[in-house]
Structure formats: C-alpha cells, structure tokens
PDB file of all heavy atoms in Angstrom:
ATOM      1  N   ARG A   1       0.802  -1.201   0.013  1.00 97.00           N
ATOM      2  CA  ARG A   1       0.034  -0.007   0.053  1.00 97.00           C
ATOM      3  C   ARG A   1       0.901   1.318  -0.064  1.00 97.00           C
ATOM      4  O   ARG A   1       0.505   2.234  -0.769  1.00 97.00           O
ATOM      5  CB  ARG A   1      -1.057   0.055   1.208  1.00 97.00           C
ATOM      6  CG  ARG A   1      -1.972  -1.144   1.010  1.00 97.00           C
ATOM      7  CD  ARG A   1      -3.012  -1.100   2.164  1.00 97.00           C
ATOM      8  NE  ARG A   1      -2.424  -1.672   3.343  1.00 97.00           N
ATOM      9  CZ  ARG A   1      -2.715  -1.393   4.555  1.00 97.00           C
ATOM     10  NH1 ARG A   1      -3.472  -0.389   4.832  1.00 97.00           N
ATOM     11  NH2 ARG A   1      -2.160  -2.010   5.573  1.00 97.00           N
ATOM     12  N   ALA A   2       1.952   1.309   0.725  1.00 97.00           N
ATOM     13  CA  ALA A   2       2.905   2.389   0.742  1.00 97.00           C
ATOM     14  C   ALA A   2       3.573   2.553  -0.635  1.00 97.00           C
ATOM     15  O   ALA A   2       3.716   3.692  -1.155  1.00 97.00           O
ATOM     16  CB  ALA A   2       4.057   2.175   1.763  1.00 97.00           C
ATOM     17  N   LEU A   3       3.956   1.537  -1.208  1.00 98.00           N
ATOM     18  CA  LEU A   3       4.457   1.427  -2.689  1.00 98.00           C
ATOM     19  C   LEU A   3       3.434   2.165  -3.618  1.00 98.00           C
ATOM     20  O   LEU A   3       3.792   3.080  -4.326  1.00 98.00           O
ATOM     21  CB  LEU A   3       4.933   0.170  -3.127  1.00 98.00           C
ATOM     22  CG  LEU A   3       5.333   0.079  -4.614  1.00 98.00           C
ATOM     23  CD1 LEU A   3       6.594   0.970  -4.831  1.00 98.00           C
ATOM     24  CD2 LEU A   3       5.465  -1.411  -5.091  1.00 98.00           C
ATOM     25  N   TRP A   4       2.217   1.669  -3.519  1.00 97.00           N
ATOM     26  CA  TRP A   4       1.130   2.216  -4.398  1.00 97.00           C
ATOM     27  C   TRP A   4       1.099   3.698  -4.199  1.00 97.00           C
ATOM     28  O   TRP A   4       0.840   4.533  -5.133  1.00 97.00           O
ATOM     29  CB  TRP A   4      -0.065   1.519  -4.214  1.00 97.00           C
ATOM     30  CG  TRP A   4      -0.105   0.114  -4.507  1.00 97.00           C
ATOM     31  CD1 TRP A   4       0.784  -0.611  -5.280  1.00 97.00           C
ATOM     32  CD2 TRP A   4      -1.020  -0.941  -4.145  1.00 97.00           C
ATOM     33  NE1 TRP A   4       0.491  -1.882  -5.392  1.00 97.00           N
ATOM     34  CE2 TRP A   4      -0.619  -2.234  -4.633  1.00 97.00           C
ATOM     35  CE3 TRP A   4      -2.195  -0.863  -3.329  1.00 97.00           C
ATOM     36  CZ2 TRP A   4      -1.191  -3.392  -4.468  1.00 97.00           C
ATOM     37  CZ3 TRP A   4      -2.799  -2.086  -3.081  1.00 97.00           C
ATOM     38  CH2 TRP A   4      -2.472  -3.215  -3.600  1.00 97.00           C
ATOM     39  N   LEU A   5       1.082   4.113  -2.949  1.00 97.00           N
ATOM     40  CA  LEU A   5       0.901   5.525  -2.677  1.00 97.00           C
ATOM     41  C   LEU A   5       2.025   6.395  -3.220  1.00 97.00           C
ATOM     42  O   LEU A   5       1.947   7.478  -3.691  1.00 97.00           O
ATOM     43  CB  LEU A   5       0.546   5.940  -1.164  1.00 97.00           C
ATOM     44  CG  LEU A   5       0.298   7.301  -0.802  1.00 97.00           C
ATOM     45  CD1 LEU A   5      -0.892   7.953  -1.639  1.00 97.00           C
ATOM     46  CD2 LEU A   5       0.081   7.406   0.671  1.00 97.00           C
ATOM     47  N   LEU A   6       3.246   5.872  -2.948  1.00 97.00           N
ATOM     48  CA  LEU A   6       4.452   6.497  -3.410  1.00 97.00           C
ATOM     49  C   LEU A   6       4.471   6.624  -5.069  1.00 97.00           C
ATOM     50  O   LEU A   6       4.849   7.663  -5.576  1.00 97.00           O
ATOM     51  CB  LEU A   6       5.730   5.833  -2.944  1.00 97.00           C
ATOM     52  CG  LEU A   6       6.013   5.847  -1.459  1.00 97.00           C
ATOM     53  CD1 LEU A   6       7.179   4.976  -1.153  1.00 97.00           C
ATOM     54  CD2 LEU A   6       6.197   7.248  -0.977  1.00 97.00           C
ATOM     55  N   LEU A   7       4.068   5.561  -5.601  1.00 96.00           N
ATOM     56  CA  LEU A   7       3.986   5.614  -7.091  1.00 96.00           C
ATOM     57  C   LEU A   7       2.927   6.647  -7.511  1.00 96.00           C
ATOM     58  O   LEU A   7       3.128   7.439  -8.513  1.00 96.00           O
ATOM     59  CB  LEU A   7       3.522   4.234  -7.584  1.00 96.00           C
ATOM     60  CG  LEU A   7       4.617   3.332  -7.690  1.00 96.00           C
ATOM     61  CD1 LEU A   7       4.033   1.865  -7.967  1.00 96.00           C
ATOM     62  CD2 LEU A   7       5.660   3.513  -8.662  1.00 96.00           C
ATOM     63  N   TRP A   8       1.859   6.834  -6.837  1.00 95.00           N
ATOM     64  CA  TRP A   8       0.821   7.838  -7.137  1.00 95.00           C
ATOM     65  C   TRP A   8       1.323   9.280  -6.988  1.00 95.00           C
ATOM     66  O   TRP A   8       1.087  10.092  -7.798  1.00 95.00           O
ATOM     67  CB  TRP A   8      -0.321   7.624  -6.158  1.00 95.00           C
ATOM     68  CG  TRP A   8      -1.442   8.570  -6.376  1.00 95.00           C
ATOM     69  CD1 TRP A   8      -1.677   9.714  -5.822  1.00 95.00           C
ATOM     70  CD2 TRP A   8      -2.661   8.437  -7.368  1.00 95.00           C
ATOM     71  NE1 TRP A   8      -2.750  10.310  -6.236  1.00 95.00           N
ATOM     72  CE2 TRP A   8      -3.448   9.519  -7.234  1.00 95.00           C
ATOM     73  CE3 TRP A   8      -3.012   7.425  -8.155  1.00 95.00           C
ATOM     74  CZ2 TRP A   8      -4.635   9.703  -7.768  1.00 95.00           C
ATOM     75  CZ3 TRP A   8      -4.218   7.586  -8.878  1.00 95.00           C
ATOM     76  CH2 TRP A   8      -4.958   8.650  -8.653  1.00 95.00           C
ATOM     77  N   GLU A   9       2.140   9.458  -5.871  1.00 93.00           N
ATOM     78  CA  GLU A   9       2.532  10.792  -5.501  1.00 93.00           C
ATOM     79  C   GLU A   9       3.798  11.287  -6.117  1.00 93.00           C
ATOM     80  O   GLU A   9       4.018  12.379  -6.341  1.00 93.00           O
ATOM     81  CB  GLU A   9       2.679  10.898  -3.936  1.00 93.00           C
ATOM     82  CG  GLU A   9       1.364  10.924  -3.256  1.00 93.00           C
ATOM     83  CD  GLU A   9       1.618  10.967  -1.711  1.00 93.00           C
ATOM     84  OE1 GLU A   9       2.750  11.193  -1.178  1.00 93.00           O
ATOM     85  OE2 GLU A   9       0.509  11.011  -1.086  1.00 93.00           O
ATOM     86  N   CYS A  10       4.857  10.416  -6.165  1.00 91.00           N
ATOM     87  CA  CYS A  10       6.138  10.819  -6.558  1.00 91.00           C
ATOM     88  C   CYS A  10       6.391  10.564  -8.047  1.00 91.00           C
ATOM     89  O   CYS A  10       5.635   9.949  -8.709  1.00 91.00           O
ATOM     90  CB  CYS A  10       7.235   9.949  -5.738  1.00 91.00           C
ATOM     91  SG  CYS A  10       7.122  10.103  -4.019  1.00 91.00           S
ATOM     92  N   GLU A  11       7.446  11.181  -8.539  1.00 89.00           N
ATOM     93  CA  GLU A  11       7.932  11.036  -9.892  1.00 89.00           C
ATOM     94  C   GLU A  11       8.945   9.914 -10.075  1.00 89.00           C
ATOM     95  O   GLU A  11       9.780   9.926 -10.912  1.00 89.00           O
ATOM     96  CB  GLU A  11       8.478  12.333 -10.411  1.00 89.00           C
ATOM     97  CG  GLU A  11       7.518  13.433 -10.574  1.00 89.00           C
ATOM     98  CD  GLU A  11       6.512  13.109 -11.600  1.00 89.00           C
ATOM     99  OE1 GLU A  11       6.814  12.476 -12.662  1.00 89.00           O
ATOM    100  OE2 GLU A  11       5.334  13.560 -11.510  1.00 89.00           O
ATOM    101  N   LEU A  12       8.994   8.974  -9.039  1.00 93.00           N
ATOM    102  CA  LEU A  12       9.985   7.930  -9.065  1.00 93.00           C
ATOM    103  C   LEU A  12       9.522   6.701  -9.638  1.00 93.00           C
ATOM    104  O   LEU A  12       8.267   6.329  -9.561  1.00 93.00           O
ATOM    105  CB  LEU A  12      10.445   7.750  -7.602  1.00 93.00           C
ATOM    106  CG  LEU A  12      11.174   8.892  -6.980  1.00 93.00           C
ATOM    107  CD1 LEU A  12      11.445   8.566  -5.516  1.00 93.00           C
ATOM    108  CD2 LEU A  12      12.457   9.268  -7.609  1.00 93.00           C
ATOM    109  N   LYS A  13      10.331   5.879 -10.283  1.00 93.00           N
ATOM    110  CA  LYS A  13       9.956   4.717 -10.958  1.00 93.00           C
ATOM    111  C   LYS A  13       9.846   3.498  -9.921  1.00 93.00           C
ATOM    112  O   LYS A  13      10.416   3.575  -8.782  1.00 93.00           O
ATOM    113  CB  LYS A  13      10.965   4.329 -11.999  1.00 93.00           C
ATOM    114  CG  LYS A  13      11.000   5.353 -13.157  1.00 93.00           C
ATOM    115  CD  LYS A  13      12.136   5.030 -14.062  1.00 93.00           C
ATOM    116  CE  LYS A  13      12.268   6.175 -15.149  1.00 93.00           C
ATOM    117  NZ  LYS A  13      13.311   6.054 -16.009  1.00 93.00           N
ATOM    118  N   VAL A  14       9.177   2.628 -10.226  1.00 95.00           N
ATOM    119  CA  VAL A  14       8.933   1.321  -9.379  1.00 95.00           C
ATOM    120  C   VAL A  14      10.201   0.788  -8.900  1.00 95.00           C
ATOM    121  O   VAL A  14      10.437   0.555  -7.755  1.00 95.00           O
ATOM    122  CB  VAL A  14       8.172   0.245 -10.143  1.00 95.00           C
ATOM    123  CG1 VAL A  14       7.995  -1.017  -9.326  1.00 95.00           C
ATOM    124  CG2 VAL A  14       6.782   0.630 -10.656  1.00 95.00           C
ATOM    125  N   LEU A  15      11.191   0.494  -9.802  1.00 95.00           N
ATOM    126  CA  LEU A  15      12.454  -0.067  -9.396  1.00 95.00           C
ATOM    127  C   LEU A  15      13.236   0.869  -8.502  1.00 95.00           C
ATOM    128  O   LEU A  15      13.872   0.376  -7.555  1.00 95.00           O
ATOM    129  CB  LEU A  15      13.337  -0.528 -10.578  1.00 95.00           C
ATOM    130  CG  LEU A  15      12.777  -1.691 -11.346  1.00 95.00           C
ATOM    131  CD1 LEU A  15      13.574  -1.974 -12.583  1.00 95.00           C
ATOM    132  CD2 LEU A  15      12.573  -2.905 -10.438  1.00 95.00           C
ATOM    133  N   ASP A  16      13.145   2.216  -8.631  1.00 95.00           N
ATOM    134  CA  ASP A  16      13.815   3.147  -7.723  1.00 95.00           C
ATOM    135  C   ASP A  16      13.154   3.029  -6.323  1.00 95.00           C
ATOM    136  O   ASP A  16      13.823   2.972  -5.392  1.00 95.00           O
ATOM    137  CB  ASP A  16      13.715   4.527  -8.241  1.00 95.00           C
ATOM    138  CG  ASP A  16      14.568   4.773  -9.487  1.00 95.00           C
ATOM    139  OD1 ASP A  16      15.568   4.057  -9.765  1.00 95.00           O
ATOM    140  OD2 ASP A  16      14.336   5.776 -10.251  1.00 95.00           O
ATOM    141  N   LEU A  17      11.793   2.990  -6.328  1.00 96.00           N
ATOM    142  CA  LEU A  17      11.214   2.953  -5.004  1.00 96.00           C
ATOM    143  C   LEU A  17      11.510   1.522  -4.290  1.00 96.00           C
ATOM    144  O   LEU A  17      11.709   1.579  -3.097  1.00 96.00           O
ATOM    145  CB  LEU A  17       9.681   3.082  -5.216  1.00 96.00           C
ATOM    146  CG  LEU A  17       9.204   4.355  -5.596  1.00 96.00           C
ATOM    147  CD1 LEU A  17       7.746   4.386  -6.002  1.00 96.00           C
ATOM    148  CD2 LEU A  17       9.524   5.471  -4.629  1.00 96.00           C
ATOM    149  N   LEU A  18      11.624   0.516  -5.096  1.00 97.00           N
ATOM    150  CA  LEU A  18      11.921  -0.775  -4.455  1.00 97.00           C
ATOM    151  C   LEU A  18      13.384  -0.827  -3.914  1.00 97.00           C
ATOM    152  O   LEU A  18      13.630  -1.696  -3.078  1.00 97.00           O
ATOM    153  CB  LEU A  18      11.770  -1.873  -5.457  1.00 97.00           C
ATOM    154  CG  LEU A  18      10.289  -2.236  -5.897  1.00 97.00           C
ATOM    155  CD1 LEU A  18      10.231  -3.284  -7.009  1.00 97.00           C
ATOM    156  CD2 LEU A  18       9.346  -2.600  -4.757  1.00 97.00           C
ATOM    157  N   SER A  19      14.234   0.030  -4.441  1.00 95.00           N
ATOM    158  CA  SER A  19      15.646  -0.006  -4.014  1.00 95.00           C
ATOM    159  C   SER A  19      15.819   0.995  -2.759  1.00 95.00           C
ATOM    160  O   SER A  19      16.938   1.000  -2.134  1.00 95.00           O
ATOM    161  CB  SER A  19      16.550   0.420  -5.057  1.00 95.00           C
ATOM    162  OG  SER A  19      16.377   1.800  -5.338  1.00 95.00           O
ATOM    163  N   LEU A  20      14.775   1.627  -2.332  1.00 96.00           N
ATOM    164  CA  LEU A  20      14.928   2.602  -1.245  1.00 96.00           C
ATOM    165  C   LEU A  20      15.298   1.896   0.034  1.00 96.00           C
ATOM    166  O   LEU A  20      14.757   0.848   0.383  1.00 96.00           O
ATOM    167  CB  LEU A  20      13.672   3.475  -1.029  1.00 96.00           C
ATOM    168  CG  LEU A  20      13.336   4.451  -2.078  1.00 96.00           C
ATOM    169  CD1 LEU A  20      12.032   5.174  -1.756  1.00 96.00           C
ATOM    170  CD2 LEU A  20      14.430   5.498  -2.222  1.00 96.00           C
ATOM    171  N   GLU A  21      16.168   2.640   0.810  1.00 95.00           N
ATOM    172  CA  GLU A  21      16.530   2.135   2.201  1.00 95.00           C
ATOM    173  C   GLU A  21      15.824   3.139   3.111  1.00 95.00           C
ATOM    174  O   GLU A  21      15.457   4.273   2.817  1.00 95.00           O
ATOM    175  CB  GLU A  21      18.051   2.234   2.326  1.00 95.00           C
ATOM    176  CG  GLU A  21      18.815   1.226   1.512  1.00 95.00           C
ATOM    177  CD  GLU A  21      18.638  -0.254   1.921  1.00 95.00           C
ATOM    178  OE1 GLU A  21      18.643  -0.416   3.122  1.00 95.00           O
ATOM    179  OE2 GLU A  21      18.478  -1.064   0.999  1.00 95.00           O
ATOM    180  N   THR A  22      15.671   2.794   4.421  1.00 94.00           N
ATOM    181  CA  THR A  22      14.945   3.627   5.361  1.00 94.00           C
ATOM    182  C   THR A  22      15.682   4.975   5.489  1.00 94.00           C
ATOM    183  O   THR A  22      15.041   6.032   5.607  1.00 94.00           O
ATOM    184  CB  THR A  22      15.121   2.975   6.798  1.00 94.00           C
ATOM    185  OG1 THR A  22      16.384   2.740   7.159  1.00 94.00           O
ATOM    186  CG2 THR A  22      14.133   1.854   6.840  1.00 94.00           C
ATOM    187  N   GLY A  23      17.066   5.115   5.252  1.00 93.00           N
ATOM    188  CA  GLY A  23      17.732   6.276   5.352  1.00 93.00           C
ATOM    189  C   GLY A  23      17.583   7.277   4.100  1.00 93.00           C
ATOM    190  O   GLY A  23      17.983   8.378   4.123  1.00 93.00           O
ATOM    191  N   ASP A  24      16.890   6.754   3.042  1.00 95.00           N
ATOM    192  CA  ASP A  24      16.673   7.549   1.927  1.00 95.00           C
ATOM    193  C   ASP A  24      15.396   8.362   1.954  1.00 95.00           C
ATOM    194  O   ASP A  24      15.021   9.139   1.115  1.00 95.00           O
ATOM    195  CB  ASP A  24      16.462   6.598   0.671  1.00 95.00           C
ATOM    196  CG  ASP A  24      17.679   5.819   0.280  1.00 95.00           C
ATOM    197  OD1 ASP A  24      18.862   6.390   0.474  1.00 95.00           O
ATOM    198  OD2 ASP A  24      17.642   4.722  -0.163  1.00 95.00           O
ATOM    199  N   VAL A  25      14.670   8.278   3.149  1.00 95.00           N
ATOM    200  CA  VAL A  25      13.506   9.048   3.341  1.00 95.00           C
ATOM    201  C   VAL A  25      13.685   9.929   4.629  1.00 95.00           C
ATOM    202  O   VAL A  25      14.105   9.462   5.585  1.00 95.00           O
ATOM    203  CB  VAL A  25      12.267   8.107   3.488  1.00 95.00           C
ATOM    204  CG1 VAL A  25      11.045   8.828   3.750  1.00 95.00           C
ATOM    205  CG2 VAL A  25      12.079   7.193   2.372  1.00 95.00           C
ATOM    206  N   ASP A  26      13.242  11.183   4.400  1.00 95.00           N
ATOM    207  CA  ASP A  26      13.189  12.194   5.458  1.00 95.00           C
ATOM    208  C   ASP A  26      11.731  12.414   5.875  1.00 95.00           C
ATOM    209  O   ASP A  26      11.025  13.161   5.160  1.00 95.00           O
ATOM    210  CB  ASP A  26      13.900  13.410   5.049  1.00 95.00           C
ATOM    211  CG  ASP A  26      13.733  14.541   6.125  1.00 95.00           C
ATOM    212  OD1 ASP A  26      13.319  14.366   7.273  1.00 95.00           O
ATOM    213  OD2 ASP A  26      14.249  15.711   5.800  1.00 95.00           O
ATOM    214  N   LEU A  27      11.272  11.663   6.916  1.00 96.00           N
ATOM    215  CA  LEU A  27       9.777  11.728   7.224  1.00 96.00           C
ATOM    216  C   LEU A  27       9.572  13.190   7.711  1.00 96.00           C
ATOM    217  O   LEU A  27       8.497  13.649   7.360  1.00 96.00           O
ATOM    218  CB  LEU A  27       9.513  10.706   8.217  1.00 96.00           C
ATOM    219  CG  LEU A  27       9.613   9.285   7.698  1.00 96.00           C
ATOM    220  CD1 LEU A  27       9.175   8.256   8.925  1.00 96.00           C
ATOM    221  CD2 LEU A  27       8.716   9.100   6.480  1.00 96.00           C
ATOM    222  N   ALA A  28      10.451  13.826   8.522  1.00 96.00           N
ATOM    223  CA  ALA A  28      10.135  15.074   9.048  1.00 96.00           C
ATOM    224  C   ALA A  28      10.084  16.056   7.899  1.00 96.00           C
ATOM    225  O   ALA A  28       9.212  17.099   7.946  1.00 96.00           O
ATOM    226  CB  ALA A  28      11.265  15.533  10.061  1.00 96.00           C
ATOM    227  N   GLY A  29      10.972  15.917   6.877  1.00 96.00           N
ATOM    228  CA  GLY A  29      10.962  16.865   5.790  1.00 96.00           C
ATOM    229  C   GLY A  29       9.945  16.439   4.773  1.00 96.00           C
ATOM    230  O   GLY A  29       9.897  17.114   3.734  1.00 96.00           O
ATOM    231  N   ARG A  30       9.327  15.317   4.927  1.00 96.00           N
ATOM    232  CA  ARG A  30       8.210  14.891   3.953  1.00 96.00           C
ATOM    233  C   ARG A  30       8.812  14.694   2.575  1.00 96.00           C
ATOM    234  O   ARG A  30       8.181  15.062   1.611  1.00 96.00           O
ATOM    235  CB  ARG A  30       7.005  15.688   4.015  1.00 96.00           C
ATOM    236  CG  ARG A  30       6.254  15.723   5.357  1.00 96.00           C
ATOM    237  CD  ARG A  30       5.148  16.651   5.410  1.00 96.00           C
ATOM    238  NE  ARG A  30       4.233  16.513   4.349  1.00 96.00           N
ATOM    239  CZ  ARG A  30       3.052  16.991   4.279  1.00 96.00           C
ATOM    240  NH1 ARG A  30       2.473  17.572   5.349  1.00 96.00           N
ATOM    241  NH2 ARG A  30       2.298  16.780   3.158  1.00 96.00           N
ATOM    242  N   ARG A  31       9.928  13.849   2.488  1.00 95.00           N
ATOM    243  CA  ARG A  31      10.415  13.732   1.047  1.00 95.00           C
ATOM    244  C   ARG A  31      11.338  12.556   1.043  1.00 95.00           C
ATOM    245  O   ARG A  31      11.918  12.142   2.009  1.00 95.00           O
ATOM    246  CB  ARG A  31      11.064  14.946   0.409  1.00 95.00           C
ATOM    247  CG  ARG A  31      12.273  15.482   1.296  1.00 95.00           C
ATOM    248  CD  ARG A  31      12.878  16.754   0.704  1.00 95.00           C
ATOM    249  NE  ARG A  31      13.276  16.534  -0.717  1.00 95.00           N
ATOM    250  CZ  ARG A  31      14.580  16.391  -1.041  1.00 95.00           C
ATOM    251  NH1 ARG A  31      15.469  16.386  -0.059  1.00 95.00           N
ATOM    252  NH2 ARG A  31      14.918  16.184  -2.341  1.00 95.00           N
ATOM    253  N   VAL A  32      11.441  12.003  -0.110  1.00 96.00           N
ATOM    254  CA  VAL A  32      12.439  11.021  -0.487  1.00 96.00           C
ATOM    255  C   VAL A  32      13.756  11.884  -0.869  1.00 96.00           C
ATOM    256  O   VAL A  32      13.609  12.608  -1.698  1.00 96.00           O
ATOM    257  CB  VAL A  32      12.078  10.118  -1.730  1.00 96.00           C
ATOM    258  CG1 VAL A  32      13.192   9.181  -2.096  1.00 96.00           C
ATOM    259  CG2 VAL A  32      10.790   9.366  -1.349  1.00 96.00           C
ATOM    260  N   THR A  33      14.824  11.552  -0.158  1.00 95.00           N
ATOM    261  CA  THR A  33      16.019  12.408  -0.458  1.00 95.00           C
ATOM    262  C   THR A  33      17.072  11.798  -1.467  1.00 95.00           C
ATOM    263  O   THR A  33      17.734  12.508  -2.032  1.00 95.00           O
ATOM    264  CB  THR A  33      16.732  12.694   0.975  1.00 95.00           C
ATOM    265  OG1 THR A  33      17.141  11.403   1.524  1.00 95.00           O
ATOM    266  CG2 THR A  33      15.895  13.462   1.842  1.00 95.00           C
ATOM    267  N   GLY A  34      17.003  10.529  -1.558  1.00 93.00           N
ATOM    268  CA  GLY A  34      17.938   9.835  -2.387  1.00 93.00           C
ATOM    269  C   GLY A  34      17.540   8.535  -2.888  1.00 93.00           C
ATOM    270  O   GLY A  34      16.747   7.861  -2.178  1.00 93.00           O
ATOM    271  N   VAL A  35      18.065   8.037  -4.016  1.00 91.00           N
ATOM    272  CA  VAL A  35      17.745   6.777  -4.528  1.00 91.00           C
ATOM    273  C   VAL A  35      18.874   6.260  -5.282  1.00 91.00           C
ATOM    274  O   VAL A  35      19.511   7.012  -6.080  1.00 91.00           O
ATOM    275  CB  VAL A  35      16.448   6.685  -5.397  1.00 91.00           C
ATOM    276  CG1 VAL A  35      16.562   7.554  -6.551  1.00 91.00           C
ATOM    277  CG2 VAL A  35      16.063   5.260  -5.733  1.00 91.00           C
ATOM    278  N   SER A  36      19.429   5.021  -5.022  1.00 85.00           N
ATOM    279  CA  SER A  36      20.443   4.440  -5.678  1.00 85.00           C
ATOM    280  C   SER A  36      21.763   5.406  -5.804  1.00 85.00           C
ATOM    281  O   SER A  36      22.366   5.410  -6.737  1.00 85.00           O
ATOM    282  CB  SER A  36      20.124   3.970  -7.107  1.00 85.00           C
ATOM    283  OG  SER A  36      19.094   3.060  -7.028  1.00 85.00           O
ATOM    284  N   GLY A  37      21.989   6.026  -4.672  1.00 86.00           N
ATOM    285  CA  GLY A  37      23.225   6.836  -4.591  1.00 86.00           C
ATOM    286  C   GLY A  37      23.042   8.252  -5.174  1.00 86.00           C
ATOM    287  O   GLY A  37      24.045   9.035  -5.311  1.00 86.00           O
TER     288      GLY A  37
END
C-alpha cells in the first residue's frame, strides 16, 4: 500500500522505489532524499 501511494505521489519509478532504504526518506521533511546513490 505504501508503494502504491508513493507511485501515485512521486515522480520515481517502481524499481527506484523498491531500492529505497530507510535512510533515503526524511519523514520530518516529507520527502524522498535519495535513490541508488
């Protein structure tokens, strides 16, 4: 469900989202900060 919402909201591709680590997301800043380096 989180993946589906991220796909809906973000401009990131499925494989990029699947590669995310917990440190790639800034919950307080409400954004994905990095993907695959």
Side-chain angles (χ1 to χ4, degrees):
R1 290 182 284 144
L3 172 64
W4 297 342
L5 185 56
L6 292 175
L7 285 167
W8 180 271
E9 291 183 358
C10 298
E11 291 293 328
L12 299 171
K13 297 175 183 173
V14 178
L15 292 177
D16 286 339
L17 291 170
L18 291 177
S19 72
L20 290 175
E21 298 286 321
T22 57
D24 294 328
V25 177
D26 175 6
L27 295 179
R30 294 176 49 162
R31 61 183 297 263
V32 176
T33 58
V35 63
S36 300

